[in-house]
Amino acid sequence: MTKRSGTLSMRLALAGAIAGCATPPVMAQSDTSDESGPFAAAPARDPDIAVQEEFDAARRADTVKAWELFIARHPDHRLAKEAQQELRRLTGQ
């Protein structure tokens, strides 16, 4: 038997062993009703962090288009006022 056919035999044996299981081991452990199991959803991301990241990106770009886009996407956010000041600075208004 060559090395290649030996590897294939091992893969087929492993596939057969997995197919013979009623449920994968991970699934068997997730019977609890709490959300700390392997399939628990990640906590929601703070939306303010995402807006801050967009603001920082606009600041790095420092173009009229970048500031206009930020203001259009977040007109009521606390950073919109600062973005408007940056836009006025760039446009000379």
Side-chain angles (χ1 to χ4, degrees), residues 14-32:
L14 181 59
I18 291 172
C21 293
T23 58
V26 173
M27 295 298 291
Q29 295 172 2
S30 64
D31 290 341
T32 60

Side-chain angles (χ1 to χ4, degrees), residues 66-87:
W67 290 118
E68 286 175 340
L69 180 61
F70 180 85
I71 294 165
R73 288 177 51 97
H74 309 287
D76 299 324
H77 193 273
R78 61 180 175 77
L79 290 172
K81 192 174 200 173
E82 190 174 341
Q84 290 167 347
Q85 291 172 346
E86 293 296 326
L87 181 58

Side-chain angles (χ1 to χ4, degrees), residues 32-41:
T32 60
S33 61
D34 69 44
E35 295 185 19
S36 63
F39 300 108

Side-chain angles (χ1 to χ4, degrees), residues 26-63:
V26 173
M27 295 298 291
Q29 295 172 2
S30 64
D31 290 341
T32 60
S33 61
D34 69 44
E35 295 185 19
S36 63
F39 300 108
R45 185 166 186 229
D46 183 353
D48 201 47
I49 293 172
V51 175
Q52 180 67 52
E53 289 173 351
E54 286 185 45
F55 182 84
D56 294 341
R59 177 167 274 157
R60 283 190 302 275
D62 199 29
T63 64

